[in-house]
Amino acid sequence: MDSKSFGQIFRITTFGESHGPMIGVVIDGCPAGIAISETDIDAALALRQPGRSEFVTPRTEADKAKICGGVFEGKTTGAPIAIIIENKNVDSSKYEAIKDLLRPGHANYAYLEKYGVYDYRGGGRASARETACRVAAGAVAAKILAQHNIITSAYIKSIGDIVADIKLENVEQLKQDTYASQIFCPDQKAAELMMQKIRDIKDQQDSIGGVVEFVINGLPTGLGDPVYEKFDANLAKALMTIPGTKGFEIGEGFKAAQMQGSEHNDLFITENDKITLQTNHAGGVLGGITTGMPVTGRVAFKPTASIMQPQVTVDLKGKEQTLQLPEGSRHDPCIAIRAVPVVEAMCALVIVDALLLNKTVKI
Amino acid sequence: MDSKSFGQIFRITTFGESHGPMIGVVIDGCPAGIAISETDIDAALALRQPGRSEFVTPRTEADKAKICGGVFEGKTTGAPIAIIIENKNVDSSKYEAIKDLLRPGHANYAYLEKYGVYDYRGGGRASARETACRVAAGAVAAKILAQHNIITSAYIKSIGDIVADIKLENVEQLKQDTYASQIFCPDQKAAELMMQKIRDIKDQQDSIGGVVEFVINGLPTGLGDPVYEKFDANLAKALMTIPGTKGFEIGEGFKAAQMQGSEHNDLFITENDKITLQTNHAGGVLGGITTGMPVTGRVAFKPTASIMQPQVTVDLKGKEQTLQLPEGSRHDPCIAIRAVPVVEAMCALVIVDALLLNKTVKI
Amino acid sequence: MDSKSFGQIFRITTFGESHGPMIGVVIDGCPAGIAISETDIDAALALRQPGRSEFVTPRTEADKAKICGGVFEGKTTGAPIAIIIENKNVDSSKYEAIKDLLRPGHANYAYLEKYGVYDYRGGGRASARETACRVAAGAVAAKILAQHNIITSAYIKSIGDIVADIKLENVEQLKQDTYASQIFCPDQKAAELMMQKIRDIKDQQDSIGGVVEFVINGLPTGLGDPVYEKFDANLAKALMTIPGTKGFEIGEGFKAAQMQGSEHNDLFITENDKITLQTNHAGGVLGGITTGMPVTGRVAFKPTASIMQPQVTVDLKGKEQTLQLPEGSRHDPCIAIRAVPVVEAMCALVIVDALLLNKTVKI
Amino acid sequence: MDSKSFGQIFRITTFGESHGPMIGVVIDGCPAGIAISETDIDAALALRQPGRSEFVTPRTEADKAKICGGVFEGKTTGAPIAIIIENKNVDSSKYEAIKDLLRPGHANYAYLEKYGVYDYRGGGRASARETACRVAAGAVAAKILAQHNIITSAYIKSIGDIVADIKLENVEQLKQDTYASQIFCPDQKAAELMMQKIRDIKDQQDSIGGVVEFVINGLPTGLGDPVYEKFDANLAKALMTIPGTKGFEIGEGFKAAQMQGSEHNDLFITENDKITLQTNHAGGVLGGITTGMPVTGRVAFKPTASIMQPQVTVDLKGKEQTLQLPEGSRHDPCIAIRAVPVVEAMCALVIVDALLLNKTVKI
């Protein structure tokens, strides 16, 4: 229930399958008066578009958003905003040959067990194509964040064992450097190594995992609710719903588990007559509520499940088979890369929802 | 909104502050006919009880659950189950001296910014005392899991840089070994080192972080909903709401980001005429839905924020001050230890909710 | 705030404005394996279609449903079902002249006060056109009800002061007689008088109110939850969200307020070895839970707000003006008539949601 | 699910049975900084207290609220407010004799069918005692309304066929006159007749129904959300969850179904440079959103199900029996009377929730 919705006030509901006629998203609870256009949304969609570089899947659909409700004379009206994206360039025929095979690392077995059926065409509902809807909704959310001078940047922190060295100081610059990179990694030196790594991986007909880091600047204090609606817990859920995620960290994350209190505690100081924190080990939250410091964290992505190597598996009857993806199948060698704008979008959704909810806390 | 509730069908709402008259939990949506007693709940509460060993806070409250509704003649009736736990042994006076100081690593500043006020007595609502309510609710959930032969074990995986070596094969045994350990670590050899480490840390008037691992056996296939209600995303949120958490992993977690697809993909095989998986890198979920394999993961806990060392901070007016916790203050040297039964409880809540929701998926 | 969603498990979200490119509905939580086609939905839509007789608005859009997700090989998959209906035959130009006038009985003033803006084209989101989405979703729900042998009938009980005399015994027959009537009134004699009344009202360039009655047969016992999710309270809410509703009754309704307990109490008896009730003053619910008796009630609809008579009003600046709807404007003389299939649809949604929720009550 | 909770932002969860140790309510989402005391709540509870006059049940429990969380130094903190009320003076023994009999007009059969069990002691969870929790929560909500100069009055409009003649002009006065009346009817002349009627009914060992009317003054424009969260639909649900309700009306209610559009439409005018409405047939809402006019409506209550006359019924095995309530059983002759403060409380809850939600509509 509500399995296709996210958020409490600013709430999105997505629909559509990878190889159906369209995918779409309905955004409920968006305040009235926000200027938004299809161009804004298309610009966001272009970032996660396949075929952006040799390091992502070459599929060349041209995602175009169509706003079907909730916007009047260029501004939101308070009514639900509906955005649809047609599925073009869809050819389900090549999935016919493997439709009865369980695909390692994929959800078709799980769907079958749950629902008694699965839509095998291009992954159906389980396809990462659904994330285009998140990016579209994130583009609307970003409009609201811009009004509050909140800026979010996500980027590749590591691919395999290659780790980028990134300074968090200037988020605006970070964002530009990220988008300028073919693989969304603002550290050019690391990016070179990563790209070489990906070429190798592709040669091996294999795939590789990666880590996406995010930083959110300009957040007011007080976002997030105590106990069960902590800001970081909601971020964790939001980001763990992105296909392929295996881990989430806030602030120091797992490193915090190796630290001592005297080392991890961020001390309160007064700077320019304003209370702030000397360090930011916590990653911008205390007790689940934002402190005004940048919110930072990381998400781990597994290697792409679809690989061109033959893999042993079974069919629906349990008989052993070999899965060989059809010649010309198009898959990302590293899903973390195209996940970057999705992480950014999910952060935006969590923030806007928390901003709106926070308006109800005081009379 | 709903910030004090968790779950969709099996839904808990907790209330009460650390130094108020009582804390409590209301469980809505518990099926009728489940046998439950105050003794069952007290047994669960005893596990997270302070004073269980020298490695946890010496506070010696005696938590006793009182069932105030929803149970009739020893069984649940379908009505909301209300459980209250009185706060005994409460002395707020020692907090008077530091009530206007911002406490590093604590939520009082964040609460102040959000609500314009905070209850300084023993941490108020932000105190980890709230987790006793989760454990009480978890005891009810565990009754349902037992009927389904689902067994959950959580335990200390690491403290600081000492990592336990744990085999996941026999979860029942693992659970027993865990409870037999003073610090909930089933690897006795590692436990010895950890205990020595904690003694050192206490001598330094400091604290240390740790990682709690969990394993859930006996889950049916098909739990969890696609897209925004993924089983692992809900686990992530559930566990990230526990005070002091900084990270969550499922399956290989962050290690997956360094793996290749050919290595990470779990292959489907047929065993005893049943389809299953050869390995479990994924940690028991695919596409957010359980596969019938054990669900495994980890949660990172930061070091306890309250340390006996003096710390520089500011007061409510922003003036620099030194925070010295009062002599005789009682704090856990490592919050991960007492978090173990809380992790187990939150897992139980997530599972029961998913089990009940899953009944609505087919007609 | 979910203002565009309805239901807890079987949950619908609608979108789109009267004069936008399309309206649509996303159904979440529909069980997998239900056979559904666009033809099924179109058949339901035809019932609320304008232009069905001289007694409803002559607007002649041809509503055709397009299923865009959630159905695979003719059956639901458990994924969200998306249905869109294009808006054809839309001409917003005639609203230009009156776009700045507050329309008596309409929501444009209320929207303006709430959102600072309203979409004046054909009523925008406030238009009853949204109810086509409810009917489409109701058609899916009806498929599930049919599998449970639950049958719902709604029909015109009264128009103005003309009251139909209707026997509730045979709901299947009632449904047929209703659909056979141009004004959905199964009492032919009353229907004649009503039709004459409507002709008179149209001559007066006026409109008239009416009451829709519903009866639901075949419900199992035990639907509905105590206290805040009572079956009848949810029905009340569902039906009071239909545009133009002013009242709701269950069982005897307001007449119960004039009765004595000895008269109103339905007595329990045993019939064919089964416990049942001798009478049904309660309307099929006790304590908010279904008793196995038919659920019956009524909804009051106000007269259509749009009338061809000139009406005194003010413009956005508060200046007095005369509102004269443009020549050729098309409005229902009595909105209750076309509300009949909408009432039926909302009943179906409430029942399916309660059926699914009820599966979680026992282990 | 969520069957024991009400509201989206300002959300209450109630628990406890009539003859358990206590009943209670947890209020989530109450803004911080609201002054509230146990005395405030007790004053509200006194109004629905049994034994207030000869016209209500003589049961003489003394309801005292205990605030157990969420209030610090006399003001709300943003944390959940927990209020418990002990059940005193409880004697379940007299229910022993009739515990296996189905009670006409009561929910025990429905609960049995739903849950397989019911708590027979004093009606258990189905008892109207639960409404004391609503009144306690309403007292908190009323504090917020007072800050916004919103005033709600509910009162007896009719008992049996005796209808009070009430002017809605001065709501403050209306409220005073209502509380001054033994039966909460501000029309003294009608009240005399009603009281005589109730004496007659009691002599007949019978009960009688009644209608409660409410009027809410001072509401801002713009409350309520379009489509599925209409202000009046939420009021309908809120009031239809009160035990014994059979109908709800807003504005003209069922009378609107007999009116013509030219008669029912409220015309917009300008008064003191402010746009307002000339009449209020709609009852203060258009399109589900408040217009700034008083919100008025009515709720129908059935006659009390418990009557002292012997009634034919069956036992759990379906065998015919005679139900004779034990000598000295205490029941209201007309539940509508004690429902008056409950209606007022539910109105307050709906308003506060809508007020808080409305803060999220504009940036």
Side-chain angles (χ1 to χ4, degrees):
Chain A
M1 31 150 310
D2 282 7
S3 64
K4 289 81 193 186
S5 298
F6 185 81
Q8 297 210 55
I9 298 284
F10 192 91
R11 181 182 186 85
I12 68 165
T13 302
T14 65
F15 62 87
E17 284 82 28
S18 180
H19 284 204
M22 65 179 66
I23 55 171
V25 57
V26 184
I27 306 169
D28 193 9
C30 182
I34 311 292
I36 186 83
S37 72
E38 291 172 353
T39 313
D40 294 326
I41 300 166
D42 288 347
L45 290 175
L47 291 170
R48 83 165 271 296
Q49 200 87 346
R52 199 174 161 271
S53 75
E54 64 173 302
F55 305 102
V56 301
T57 172
R59 206 175 315 175
T60 51
E61 29 183 285
D63 281 342
K64 290 284 167 205
K66 182 173 176 181
I67 297 176
C68 300
V71 176
F72 181 58
E73 298 177 341
K75 291 194 175 173
T76 58
T77 61
I81 302 165
I83 302 167
I84 63 175
I85 305 167
E86 280 183 44
N87 291 325
K88 295 167 186 164
N89 204 356
V90 162
D91 171 17
S92 308
S93 65
K94 67 165 174 275
Y95 288 93
E96 286 291 328
I98 58 167
K99 76 186 170 78
D100 290 338
L101 300 191
L102 301 186
R103 296 178 62 183
H106 275 266
N108 64 350
Y109 172 68
Y111 272 62
L112 182 69
E113 287 290 300
K114 185 173 189 79
Y115 298 114
V117 65
Y118 63 87
D119 179 347
Y120 60 82
R121 304 164 306 164
R125 180 71 186 158
S127 164
R129 178 137 184 78
E130 188 270 343
T131 61
C133 296
R134 304 180 187 220
V135 171
V140 179
K143 288 277 177 172
I144 298 172
L145 297 190
Q147 292 191 4
H148 288 76
N149 296 314
I150 297 168
I151 180 165
T152 303
S153 176
Y155 44 83
I156 289 291
K157 174 66 183 174
S158 66
I159 284 179
D161 53 8
I162 308 165
V163 182
D165 182 28
I166 291 159
K167 300 277 169 294
L168 299 183
E169 273 117 55
N170 187 334
V171 178
E172 186 57 70
Q173 184 65 46
L174 198 53
K175 210 174 166 90
Q176 284 178 32
D177 293 348
T178 298
Y179 291 162
S181 160
Q182 281 187 301
I183 58 165
F184 293 136
C185 178
D187 171 353
Q188 282 192 37
K189 223 157 110 187
E192 288 303 323
L193 296 171
M194 290 169 179
M195 291 189 279
Q196 191 48 53
K197 178 80 178 178
I198 293 171
R199 283 188 201 101
D200 293 349
I201 286 290
K202 283 172 78 175
D203 286 348
Q204 297 168 39
Q205 307 200 306
D206 213 334
S207 64
I208 188 137
V211 170
V212 175
E213 191 168 72
F214 60 88
V215 53
I216 310 166
N217 251 25
L219 285 177
T221 56
L223 298 197
D225 286 291
V227 189
Y228 297 111
E229 296 294 333
K230 291 186 161 88
F231 188 77
D232 40 343
N234 280 333
L235 262 185
K237 176 163 177 177
L239 297 174
M240 293 296 296
T241 66
I242 303 175
T245 48
K246 301 307 288 182
F248 169 84
E249 292 185 326
I250 187 90
E252 295 286 352
F254 277 86
K255 230 178 91 190
Q258 299 187 24
M259 292 168 80
Q260 295 186 205
S262 58
E263 186 186 2
H264 186 271
N265 278 350
D266 300 309
L267 300 185
F268 289 96
I269 53 169
T270 295
E271 226 173 53
N272 305 325
D273 284 334
K274 227 182 134 288
I275 294 174
T276 184
L277 291 151
Q278 203 170 29
T279 50
N280 190 21
H281 297 296
V285 285
L286 283 174
I289 299 171
T290 56
T291 60
M293 294 296 280
V295 167
T296 60
R298 279 156 301 282
V299 197
F301 286 87
K302 70 175 188 180
T304 319
S306 294
I307 54 177
M308 294 306 288
Q309 294 176 26
Q311 293 176 95
V312 174
T313 188
V314 299
D315 60 21
L316 296 182
K317 288 173 180 150
K319 204 172 153 244
E320 193 179 307
Q321 304 277 2
T322 296
L323 172 69
Q324 174 65 63
L325 292 181
E327 199 72 31
S329 282
R330 298 172 298 188
H331 302 286
D332 282 283
C334 175
I335 51 171
I337 298 172
R338 287 213 292 140
V340 164
V342 183
V343 167
E344 223 168 85
M346 292 309 290
C347 287
L349 295 176
V350 170
I351 301 165
V352 168
D353 203 35
L355 271 174
L356 293 174
L357 264 171
N358 209 39
K359 295 177 125 192
T360 69
V361 165
K362 292 183 200 157
I363 274 293
Chain B
M1 31 151 311
D2 282 5
S3 63
K4 291 78 194 188
S5 296
F6 185 82
Q8 297 210 55
I9 299 284
F10 193 91
R11 181 180 187 86
I12 68 165
T13 302
T14 65
F15 63 87
E17 284 83 28
S18 179
H19 283 204
M22 65 179 67
I23 55 172
V25 57
V26 183
I27 307 168
D28 193 10
C30 182
I34 310 292
I36 186 83
S37 71
E38 291 171 354
T39 312
D40 295 325
I41 300 166
D42 287 346
L45 290 175
L47 291 170
R48 83 165 270 297
Q49 200 85 348
R52 199 176 162 267
S53 76
E54 64 173 300
F55 305 101
V56 299
T57 172
R59 208 173 315 174
T60 52
E61 30 182 286
D63 281 343
K64 290 286 167 203
K66 182 172 177 183
I67 297 176
C68 299
V71 176
F72 181 57
E73 297 177 344
K75 291 193 175 174
T76 58
T77 62
I81 302 166
I83 302 167
I84 62 175
I85 305 167
E86 280 182 43
N87 291 325
K88 294 169 186 161
N89 205 356
V90 163
D91 172 16
S92 309
S93 63
K94 68 166 173 278
Y95 289 93
E96 286 292 329
I98 58 168
K99 76 187 169 77
D100 291 338
L101 300 191
L102 301 187
R103 296 178 63 183
H106 274 266
N108 63 350
Y109 172 68
Y111 272 62
L112 183 68
E113 288 290 301
K114 186 175 189 76
Y115 298 114
V117 64
Y118 62 86
D119 179 347
Y120 60 83
R121 302 164 307 162
R125 181 71 185 158
S127 164
R129 177 136 186 79
E130 187 269 346
T131 61
C133 295
R134 304 179 187 222
V135 171
V140 178
K143 287 279 176 171
I144 298 172
L145 298 189
Q147 291 190 7
H148 288 77
N149 295 315
I150 298 168
I151 180 165
T152 304
S153 176
Y155 44 83
I156 290 290
K157 175 66 183 174
S158 67
I159 284 179
D161 52 8
I162 308 166
V163 183
D165 182 29
I166 291 159
K167 300 276 169 297
L168 299 184
E169 273 117 52
N170 186 334
V171 178
E172 185 58 71
Q173 184 65 47
L174 197 52
K175 209 174 166 89
Q176 283 178 33
D177 292 348
T178 298
Y179 291 163
S181 161
Q182 281 186 299
I183 58 164
F184 292 137
C185 178
D187 171 352
Q188 282 193 36
K189 225 157 108 187
E192 287 303 325
L193 296 171
M194 289 170 181
M195 290 189 280
Q196 190 48 53
K197 176 81 177 176
I198 293 172
R199 280 189 203 101
D200 293 349
I201 286 291
K202 282 173 76 173
D203 286 348
Q204 297 168 37
Q205 306 201 306
D206 213 334
S207 64
I208 187 139
V211 171
V212 176
E213 190 168 73
F214 60 88
V215 52
I216 310 166
N217 251 23
L219 285 177
T221 56
L223 297 197
D225 287 291
V227 190
Y228 298 110
E229 296 294 333
K230 290 187 162 85
F231 188 77
D232 40 345
N234 280 333
L235 261 184
K237 175 162 178 176
L239 297 174
M240 292 297 296
T241 67
I242 303 175
T245 48
K246 301 308 288 184
F248 169 84
E249 293 185 327
I250 188 87
E252 296 287 352
F254 278 85
K255 229 177 93 189
Q258 300 187 21
M259 293 168 79
Q260 296 186 205
S262 57
E263 185 186 2
H264 186 272
N265 278 350
D266 301 309
L267 300 184
F268 289 97
I269 54 169
T270 295
E271 226 173 55
N272 305 324
D273 285 334
K274 229 183 133 287
I275 294 174
T276 184
L277 292 151
Q278 204 170 27
T279 51
N280 190 23
H281 297 297
V285 285
L286 282 173
I289 299 171
T290 56
T291 60
M293 294 295 281
V295 168
T296 59
R298 279 155 302 282
V299 198
F301 286 88
K302 71 174 187 181
T304 318
S306 296
I307 54 177
M308 294 306 288
Q309 294 176 26
Q311 292 177 95
V312 174
T313 189
V314 300
D315 60 22
L316 296 183
K317 289 174 182 153
K319 203 173 152 244
E320 193 179 308
Q321 302 279 1
T322 297
L323 172 70
Q324 175 65 63
L325 292 181
E327 199 71 30
S329 282
R330 296 170 301 189
H331 302 287
D332 283 282
C334 174
I335 52 172
I337 298 172
R338 288 213 292 139
V340 163
V342 183
V343 167
E344 224 169 86
M346 292 310 290
C347 287
L349 295 176
V350 170
I351 301 165
V352 168
D353 203 36
L355 272 173
L356 293 174
L357 265 171
N358 209 39
K359 296 178 122 190
T360 68
V361 166
K362 293 182 198 156
I363 276 292
Chain C
M1 23 147 304
D2 283 8
S3 62
K4 289 79 194 188
S5 297
F6 184 81
Q8 297 210 55
I9 298 283
F10 193 91
R11 180 179 187 87
I12 68 165
T13 302
T14 66
F15 62 87
E17 284 82 28
S18 181
H19 283 204
M22 65 180 65
I23 55 172
V25 58
V26 184
I27 307 169
D28 193 9
C30 182
I34 310 292
I36 186 83
S37 71
E38 292 172 352
T39 313
D40 295 327
I41 300 166
D42 287 347
L45 290 175
L47 291 169
R48 81 164 273 298
Q49 199 85 348
R52 197 174 163 269
S53 77
E54 65 173 299
F55 305 102
V56 299
T57 173
R59 207 173 314 175
T60 50
E61 31 183 282
D63 281 342
K64 289 286 168 203
K66 181 172 175 183
I67 298 177
C68 300
V71 176
F72 182 58
E73 298 177 342
K75 291 193 174 172
T76 58
T77 61
I81 303 166
I83 302 167
I84 62 174
I85 305 167
E86 280 183 43
N87 291 324
K88 295 169 183 162
N89 205 354
V90 162
D91 171 16
S92 309
S93 64
K94 66 166 176 277
Y95 288 92
E96 286 291 330
I98 58 168
K99 77 186 169 76
D100 290 337
L101 300 191
L102 301 186
R103 296 178 62 182
H106 275 265
N108 64 349
Y109 172 68
Y111 272 62
L112 182 68
E113 288 289 302
K114 187 175 189 77
Y115 297 113
V117 64
Y118 62 86
D119 178 348
Y120 60 82
R121 303 163 307 163
R125 181 72 186 157
S127 163
R129 176 134 185 81
E130 187 270 345
T131 61
C133 296
R134 305 179 187 221
V135 171
V140 178
K143 288 277 176 170
I144 299 172
L145 298 190
Q147 291 191 6
H148 287 78
N149 296 313
I150 297 168
I151 181 165
T152 304
S153 177
Y155 44 83
I156 289 291
K157 175 66 183 175
S158 67
I159 284 179
D161 54 7
I162 308 166
V163 183
D165 182 27
I166 291 160
K167 298 278 168 294
L168 299 184
E169 273 118 53
N170 186 335
V171 178
E172 187 57 71
Q173 184 64 48
L174 197 52
K175 208 172 166 89
Q176 284 178 33
D177 293 349
T178 298
Y179 291 162
S181 160
Q182 280 188 299
I183 57 164
F184 291 137
C185 178
D187 172 353
Q188 282 192 36
K189 225 157 109 185
E192 288 303 326
L193 296 171
M194 289 171 181
M195 290 189 281
Q196 190 47 56
K197 177 81 180 178
I198 293 171
R199 281 188 202 101
D200 293 350
I201 286 290
K202 283 173 77 174
D203 286 348
Q204 296 167 40
Q205 306 199 305
D206 212 334
S207 64
I208 189 141
V211 171
V212 175
E213 190 167 74
F214 60 89
V215 52
I216 309 166
N217 251 23
L219 285 178
T221 56
L223 297 197
D225 286 291
V227 190
Y228 298 110
E229 296 294 333
K230 291 186 161 87
F231 188 78
D232 40 344
N234 280 333
L235 261 185
K237 175 163 178 177
L239 298 173
M240 292 298 295
T241 66
I242 303 175
T245 48
K246 302 306 288 183
F248 169 84
E249 291 185 328
I250 187 90
E252 296 286 352
F254 277 85
K255 229 178 92 187
Q258 299 186 23
M259 293 168 78
Q260 296 186 203
S262 58
E263 185 186 3
H264 186 271
N265 279 349
D266 301 309
L267 300 184
F268 288 96
I269 55 169
T270 295
E271 227 173 53
N272 305 324
D273 285 334
K274 229 184 132 288
I275 294 174
T276 185
L277 291 151
Q278 204 171 30
T279 51
N280 191 22
H281 297 295
V285 284
L286 282 173
I289 299 170
T290 56
T291 60
M293 296 294 281
V295 167
T296 61
R298 279 155 303 279
V299 197
F301 286 87
K302 70 175 189 180
T304 319
S306 294
I307 54 177
M308 294 306 288
Q309 294 176 26
Q311 293 177 92
V312 174
T313 188
V314 299
D315 60 22
L316 296 183
K317 290 174 181 154
K319 201 172 154 244
E320 192 177 307
Q321 303 278 1
T322 296
L323 171 70
Q324 174 65 62
L325 292 181
E327 198 73 31
S329 283
R330 298 171 299 189
H331 301 286
D332 282 282
C334 174
I335 51 171
I337 297 172
R338 287 212 294 139
V340 163
V342 183
V343 167
E344 224 167 87
M346 292 310 289
C347 286
L349 294 177
V350 170
I351 300 165
V352 168
D353 202 36
L355 271 173
L356 292 175
L357 265 172
N358 209 39
K359 295 177 123 192
T360 69
V361 166
K362 291 182 199 159
I363 277 291
Chain D
M1 34 149 307
D2 283 7
S3 64
K4 290 77 194 188
S5 297
F6 184 82
Q8 295 210 57
I9 299 282
F10 192 92
R11 180 180 187 85
I12 69 166
T13 302
T14 66
F15 62 87
E17 284 82 28
S18 180
H19 283 204
M22 65 180 65
I23 55 173
V25 58
V26 184
I27 307 169
D28 194 9
C30 181
I34 311 293
I36 186 83
S37 72
E38 292 172 352
T39 313
D40 294 326
I41 301 167
D42 287 347
L45 290 175
L47 292 170
R48 83 164 270 298
Q49 199 84 349
R52 198 174 163 271
S53 76
E54 66 173 301
F55 306 101
V56 299
T57 173
R59 209 175 312 174
T60 50
E61 29 182 285
D63 281 341
K64 290 285 168 202
K66 182 172 175 183
I67 297 176
C68 299
V71 177
F72 181 57
E73 298 178 343
K75 291 193 174 175
T76 58
T77 62
I81 302 166
I83 301 167
I84 62 174
I85 305 167
E86 280 184 44
N87 291 324
K88 294 170 185 163
N89 204 356
V90 163
D91 171 16
S92 308
S93 65
K94 68 168 174 275
Y95 287 92
E96 285 292 328
I98 59 168
K99 77 188 168 77
D100 291 337
L101 300 191
L102 301 186
R103 296 178 62 182
H106 275 266
N108 64 350
Y109 172 68
Y111 272 62
L112 183 68
E113 288 290 301
K114 185 175 190 76
Y115 297 114
V117 64
Y118 63 85
D119 179 347
Y120 59 82
R121 303 163 307 163
R125 181 71 186 157
S127 163
R129 176 135 185 80
E130 187 271 344
T131 61
C133 295
R134 304 178 187 222
V135 171
V140 178
K143 287 277 176 171
I144 297 172
L145 298 189
Q147 291 190 5
H148 287 77
N149 295 314
I150 298 168
I151 181 165
T152 304
S153 176
Y155 44 83
I156 289 291
K157 175 67 182 174
S158 67
I159 283 179
D161 53 8
I162 308 166
V163 183
D165 182 27
I166 291 160
K167 300 276 169 294
L168 298 185
E169 274 118 53
N170 186 335
V171 177
E172 186 57 70
Q173 184 65 46
L174 197 53
K175 208 173 166 91
Q176 283 179 32
D177 292 348
T178 298
Y179 291 163
S181 160
Q182 282 188 299
I183 58 165
F184 292 136
C185 178
D187 171 353
Q188 281 193 39
K189 223 156 112 188
E192 287 303 325
L193 296 170
M194 290 170 180
M195 291 190 278
Q196 190 49 53
K197 177 81 177 178
I198 292 171
R199 281 189 202 101
D200 292 350
I201 286 291
K202 281 173 78 174
D203 286 348
Q204 296 168 39
Q205 306 200 307
D206 212 335
S207 64
I208 188 139
V211 170
V212 176
E213 191 168 73
F214 60 88
V215 53
I216 309 166
N217 251 24
L219 285 178
T221 56
L223 297 198
D225 287 290
V227 190
Y228 297 111
E229 296 294 333
K230 290 186 162 86
F231 188 78
D232 40 343
N234 280 333
L235 261 185
K237 176 163 176 176
L239 297 174
M240 292 298 295
T241 66
I242 303 175
T245 48
K246 302 307 288 182
F248 169 84
E249 290 185 328
I250 187 87
E252 296 286 352
F254 277 85
K255 230 178 91 188
Q258 298 186 22
M259 293 169 79
Q260 296 186 203
S262 58
E263 183 186 4
H264 186 271
N265 278 350
D266 300 310
L267 300 184
F268 288 97
I269 53 168
T270 294
E271 226 173 55
N272 306 324
D273 285 332
K274 229 184 134 288
I275 294 174
T276 184
L277 292 150
Q278 203 169 30
T279 51
N280 191 21
H281 296 297
V285 284
L286 282 173
I289 299 171
T290 56
T291 60
M293 295 294 281
V295 168
T296 60
R298 280 154 301 281
V299 196
F301 286 88
K302 70 176 189 180
T304 319
S306 295
I307 53 178
M308 294 306 289
Q309 294 176 26
Q311 293 176 96
V312 174
T313 188
V314 300
D315 60 22
L316 297 183
K317 290 174 181 152
K319 202 173 154 243
E320 192 178 309
Q321 303 278 1
T322 296
L323 172 70
Q324 174 65 63
L325 291 181
E327 198 72 30
S329 282
R330 297 171 299 188
H331 302 285
D332 282 282
C334 174
I335 52 172
I337 297 172
R338 286 212 295 139
V340 163
V342 183
V343 167
E344 225 168 85
M346 293 309 290
C347 287
L349 295 176
V350 170
I351 301 165
V352 168
D353 203 35
L355 271 174
L356 293 174
L357 265 171
N358 209 40
K359 296 177 121 192
T360 69
V361 165
K362 292 183 200 157
I363 276 291

